[in-house]
Amino acid sequence: MAIYDMTIREFTEALRAKTPTPGGGGAAAITGALGAALVMMATEFTLDNEKYADEEFVAKSVRAYMSPIYMNLLGMAEQDKQAYEKVAAALKMPKGTEEEKAARAEALSNASYISAKVCFNTMDLCHGGLQEISKAAGHTNPNLDSDLVVAYNLFVAGFNSALHLMKQNIPSITNEKAVDLFNEKIEVFVEKHAEIVAEIKEKLEIQ
């Protein structure tokens, strides 16, 4: 069963089980999806309310951008599961001879590249979610500001978790160009992440 088709109970039971997947990557993606859902809820409580009619354009825009972020984060949870299953399979390959070691290293490199890419996509989506929170701040029903703060924390957790896992995958990748590209992306996104976090903290008065 795909992760996005599981109930909360089924997912958490699978998460706590002694199996390679689902694991941290899936948890990071689901954490981000929860953040996206909360932001969408904040927009729903703003739209079709005469009291917040002036905020309709922004609320609709945030909801429109957040919807694919939400869906894609659910998809990342399943993609992470599939990617790590390949990593786990590569780790179980024999390494008794030089040929076996080479084949194992190549398989692990390819699997780790895919896994790192999924982690990067999760980071990217969580960053996009934070951008939408910044846009929404001050333009949605203020009774839902606390939900935006929770969503902010969920996106930050998803971003940082995916970043950590991406870094864990990189050393197994033998393609130097791919490694350099991933490291460049990390540097850029960490800087952007710090900027959007500071922006949201100021707008939502987060300590």
Side-chain angles (χ1 to χ4, degrees), residues 150-171:
V150 174
Y152 155 81
N153 282 299
L154 290 168
F155 276 129
V156 168
F159 180 96
N160 288 332
S161 299
L163 172 61
H164 171 75
L165 294 169
M166 185 178 177
K167 288 180 177 179
Q168 292 292 105
N169 278 290
I170 288 175

Side-chain angles (χ1 to χ4, degrees), residues 170 175-186:
I170 288 175
N175 185 317
E176 291 183 7
K177 287 184 179 180
V179 170
D180 289 343
L181 182 58
F182 275 142
N183 285 327
E184 286 172 12
K185 287 182 175 181
I186 286 173

Side-chain angles (χ1 to χ4, degrees), residues 5 7-8 29 33 38 70 88 98 148 155 158 201 203:
D5 287 328
T7 64
I8 294 173
L38 279 173
Y70 166 73
E98 291 304 315
L148 290 182
F155 276 129
K201 280 186 171 182
K203 288 182 177 181

